[in-house]
Amino acid sequence: AVRALDEGRFDLLATGFTELPLSRLVCTYVWGLSALVVRDRSIRSVADLSLSCTGEAGADIVLPFRGSPLDLQVRALFARLLPGTQCRFSNQLLPETLTQFMAGKVAAAVLPEPMPTTLELAGHATRLCDLADMYERVQGDARSPQVGLFAAPSLQLPADFLSQLKHSVGRSHSMLPAQRDAIAAALNISAAVLERALP
C-alpha cells in the first residue's frame, strides 16, 4: 500500500506509520483502534497474561508484522508496564492471526478493529484491554496515535478537506439501518460487529 501511494496508484493512505518519506502527512487523528484479546477468560490483567505466556508453551502474544507500528508500540508498552518480565511475542499477518484465533491456536493477540469485536461476538476471545488503556497507564493520556492519513505529494486536497472528513466520520455514528448494512457488507463483517466496533 505504501508503494502504491508512492507510485501514485492511491491518492490517500491511512496507516499506523508516522512517517512516509515520499508522501505528505495530512493529519494524525484516529485514536484507540486496537485491542489486546485473550482466549483464556481467567486472564484478567496484563500481569496475568505475562505470567501465562512465560509459563505456558505456545502462549505467545501475537503481533502484526515485525517492525509494524503495533509491533513496536506493544513491545514498548509491555516493557514500561512490566519491566524485567519475559513476555514472548511472535509476529504474523493479521488475517492469519484472526483465522488461527478462531481455530483456538492463538492464546493472545493485538488486533485492530473490527477483528477484536469479531472474535468477541463469536465467543472466541475476551478483550483484555484497548491499547488506549495501556497508553493511559504509561503516559496518563488515553489517546494512542495509531493512524496517520498520508497523501500523494502531487495530490491537491480541497481547502475544507479535514472538515469534510470530520463531518463524514460524525455521520457514521448516525447511520440508517440500510446504510449500516451496506457498509457492513462492503467490509465483509456483520452489522452487529460494525455497530459495536464503530464507537
Side-chain angles (χ1 to χ4, degrees), residues 12 24 26 155-164:
L12 296 162
R24 178 167 44 98
V26 177
L155 180 67
Q156 295 298 313
L157 292 171
D160 62 344
F161 174 79
L162 289 178
S163 62
Q164 288 185 39

Side-chain angles (χ1 to χ4, degrees), residues 39 96-106 119 124:
R39 194 174 66 233
E96 184 181 350
T97 302
L98 183 65
T99 301
Q100 289 194 356
F101 213 121
M102 288 185 167
K105 297 178 180 177
V106 170
L119 290 170
H124 295 293

